[in-house]
Amino acid sequence: MPEDAPPTRFGPLPPGIAPTVPTPGYPGTFTHTPSQPAFRRPPGRTEVTGPLALHRKLPCGEANLAEPIPGRPAMGQLIHIAGQVLDEDGRPIPDAVVELWQANAAGRYAHANDTRSAPLDPHFVGHGRVRTDAEGRYGFFTIRPGAYPVPGEAVWWRPPHVHFSVLGPASLSRLVTQMFFPGDPLNPLDHIFMAVPDAVARERLVARPLPPAEIGPGWLGYRHDIALRGRRATPVLP
Amino acid sequence: MTPLSSHTIGPFFPRAFVREGDNDLTRTAPNATPSRAGTRIRLHGRVLREGGLPCVYAILEAWQADAAGRFRHPADPDWEYADPDFLGWGRAFTDADGRFEFHTLMPGGFLDRAPHVNLLVMASGLMRPVSTTLFFPQFVTANAADPVLGLLPPPLRPRLLAAPDNDDGYRFDIRLRGGPAEETPFFES
Ligand SMILES: [Fe+3]
């Protein structure tokens, strides 16, 4: 690689960004989180590389969750979520694979594990996968998800949220995160949202309402940029 | 820019995201011809949580060099010579017993690194993905010189060695949480 050697391209995360684990109020983290500290290894070739052209392996293009069958929109507030996938220098990451999944407007997932009695929407499956363009842009047509309760001894309600899985250019840039909606009263009560210690870092997880002009009427627009770990991490094939 | 915080995949990661063949690292696309430039192997095991119970619906992602020890990525100076038919990446889902399986080629070593496969585990209850690295017991000399394996205290190193099965199989169990006596060593990611 050129002047910028791998170790400086992937520094440790600043404090306050990574969620506290195990996470208070979230019992599952107390049975899954490793109890022993992780070993720190200098980023080497296996960590700074990753599969390119992953969109060939993971077919992309399912961007319309809200109206997969024309004329039969899903129930709920129709929204459009769009943004850019960027590295720590703010450079766009093209060809990133962005996966999204979420509950329907009633807070129910179309998933065998969700056995709650809230209604399923036959016109909403709730997952999609796209590939970022040359400017790192992605976009999904979907609906605003409903809140849902997490069962257990102390039930808590997840605020409306959208799950994102982003496969960027390197193993170290892999990200699984959740997007939240501005001003929801459940946000400050959510153990998962509040597990992020830094308040500014939490705000970065909240989408900004921003009706995109090109989308057209009827779609409430949200902008949500996704910064991945790594500087000059965008691979350029000669 | 500051990277976004990570969160759990939760219990509802879409099963449709993991298709048949995604756990085959030798194919660059679902219908691509698998690379045959190397020795085909099968990696399998279980993901376990506290109490030795299976971790169901965990997602594993594997990443490794090709049979000659090259990555098809410009951060590898030899990337142009990497096997164009080998992806080196795959994804698997654990079943109700916590079992997973990958099909791949035996990775090559490079520089001072012994042949290895990087594994990332994501699950409901894991707020950050965890990373570990699988090594192969037959490469005794290379393993002894590997700087990453060497980061571990010697008694922990055998926990990162896969166990050869019958035929082409290697078994590697991942214990997410089980205290110092049982836990898989993980690396900061
Ligand atoms: Fe959720």
Side-chain angles (χ1 to χ4, degrees), chain A residues 101-151:
Chain A
W101 69 103
Q102 62 168 81
N104 68 19
R108 172 98 186 256
Y109 284 84
H111 190 292
N113 285 4
D114 193 349
T115 52
R116 209 158 70 87
S117 60
L120 280 169
D121 179 348
H123 300 128
F124 190 70
V125 175
H127 61 80
R129 181 192 284 148
V130 298
R131 160 194 182 186
T132 59
D133 69 10
E135 277 79 48
R137 278 195 268 267
Y138 76 90
F140 289 97
F141 293 91
T142 182
I143 52 105
R144 181 187 168 99
Y148 62 87
V150 180

Side-chain angles (χ1 to χ4, degrees), chain A residues 101-103 109 148 158 161-163 178, chain B residues 9-12:
Chain A
W101 69 103
Q102 62 168 81
Y109 284 84
Y148 62 87
R158 296 297 327 278
H161 63 275
V162 173
H163 296 261
Q178 298 179 18
Chain B
I9 60 170
F12 310 123

Side-chain angles (χ1 to χ4, degrees), chain A residues 148-210:
Chain A
Y148 62 87
V150 180
E153 279 175 36
V155 173
W156 99 85
W157 279 74
R158 296 297 327 278
H161 63 275
V162 173
H163 296 261
F164 277 95
S165 152
V166 186
L167 297 122
S171 304
L172 284 174
S173 54
R174 183 78 174 91
L175 177 70
V176 177
T177 185
Q178 298 179 18
M179 186 200 93
F180 297 82
F181 290 85
D184 196 286
L186 291 172
N187 287 346
L189 303 174
D190 182 37
H191 298 310
I192 289 180
F193 182 66
M194 296 308 287
V196 174
D198 182 67
V200 177
R202 286 199 297 272
E203 280 317 299
R204 280 193 284 268
L205 305 170
V206 179
R208 283 185 298 133
L210 185 75

Side-chain angles (χ1 to χ4, degrees), chain B residues 2-4 35 40 84 87 91 97 107-108 113 118 122 139 145 150 159 161 164 168:
Chain B
T2 310
L4 289 192
S35 171
R40 252 193 108 82
L87 184 63
R91 184 189 260 177
D97 287 324
R113 299 302 314 275
N118 302 291
M122 291 159 275
F139 302 114
R159 292 190 201 172
L161 300 183
D168 56 352

